[in-house]
């Protein structure tokens, strides 16, 4: 039973979204990593959202470039949190995907993260924080990770 489902609009997005799946695995969060398109396979997207929601998915992460309607299509079908990762896939440098992901109508929010790999990693962290609201063990792992970040900065400062 996946706690998080990661949808990508195209297999060509895998290199940008792989850090998201890797981080979820590192944190011990059961997840699915798959391709489904809001435009090319809308029926598949709707079917998978329903299936994974029924299976207990707690958070959907959606990554897409260009028109980037995938997160909105998922938000239209679910009341679970949807996190959007806009991808730079056009001459517009990702601005098109960012605006398509962040500008949702009231009642259908998409929590929008940064572009590309940074957004992918932060989507995993945010999904983990959402799940940790009801998982004390995961919350402790997140606290430990934050301590490691802090220690790394302290060590870097000491080595200057």
């Amino acid at each position: 039973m996946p706690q998080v489902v990661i949808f990508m609009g195209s297999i060509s997005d895998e290199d940008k979204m792989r850090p998201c799946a890797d981080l979820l695995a590192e944190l011990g969060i059961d997840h699915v990593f798959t391709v489904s398109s809001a435009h090319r396979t809308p029926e598949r997207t709707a079917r998978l959202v329903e299936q994974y929601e029924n299976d207990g998915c707690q958070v959907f992460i959606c990554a897409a470039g260009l028109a980037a309607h995938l997160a909105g299509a998922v938000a239209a079908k679910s009341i679970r949190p949807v996190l959007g990762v806009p991808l730079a896939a056009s001459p517009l440098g990702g601005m098109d995907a960012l605006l398509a992901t962040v500008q949702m109508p009231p009642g259908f929010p998409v929590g929008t993260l940064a572009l590309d790999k940074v957004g992918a990693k932060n989507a995993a962290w945010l999904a983990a924080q959402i799940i940790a609201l009801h998982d004390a063990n995961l919350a402790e792992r997140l606290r430990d990770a934050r301590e490691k970040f802090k220690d790394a900065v302290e060590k870097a400062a000491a080595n200057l």
Side-chain angles (χ1 to χ4, degrees), residues 8-10 36-45 64-73 100:
M8 301 176 294
S10 170
S36 197
S37 171
H39 301 108
R40 292 183 297 272
T41 60
E43 296 85 5
R44 172 182 164 75
T45 301
L66 306 171
H69 292 134
L70 183 56

Side-chain angles (χ1 to χ4, degrees), residues 84-87 98 112-123:
V85 180
L87 302 177
L98 175 62
T112 306
L113 286 299
L115 293 169
D116 296 336
K117 289 183 179 181
V118 171
K121 288 179 184 177
N122 274 337

Side-chain angles (χ1 to χ4, degrees), residues 17-42:
M17 290 306 295
R18 177 59 61 187
C20 181
D22 291 347
L23 182 54
L24 291 171
E26 183 181 322
L27 292 170
I29 296 172
D30 190 24
H31 63 282
V32 170
F33 188 31
T34 191
V35 177
S36 197
S37 171
H39 301 108
R40 292 183 297 272
T41 60

Side-chain angles (χ1 to χ4, degrees), residues 42 53 64 75 132:
E53 192 171 270

Side-chain angles (χ1 to χ4, degrees), residues 16 18 20 26 46 56 64-66 68 82 93 108 117 123 144 147 153 155:
K16 293 178 182 177
R18 177 59 61 187
C20 181
E26 183 181 322
L66 306 171
V82 176
F108 299 88
K117 289 183 179 181
D144 290 346
E147 282 300 312
V153 171
K155 183 177 178 181

Side-chain angles (χ1 to χ4, degrees), residues 29-116:
I29 296 172
D30 190 24
H31 63 282
V32 170
F33 188 31
T34 191
V35 177
S36 197
S37 171
H39 301 108
R40 292 183 297 272
T41 60
E43 296 85 5
R44 172 182 164 75
T45 301
R47 185 179 73 250
L48 290 176
V49 169
E50 181 178 3
Q51 172 191 327
Y52 288 125
E53 192 171 270
N54 289 337
D55 288 346
C57 174
Q58 297 177 50
V59 179
F60 290 98
I61 296 173
C62 302
L66 306 171
H69 292 134
L70 183 56
V74 172
K77 296 291 184 182
S78 179
I79 61 167
R80 302 283 163 69
V82 176
L83 307 178
V85 180
L87 302 177
S90 79
L92 298 175
M95 185 59 78
D96 48 349
L98 175 62
L99 292 175
T101 305
V102 76
Q103 287 295 107
M104 293 298 299
F108 299 88
V110 170
T112 306
L113 286 299
L115 293 169
D116 296 336

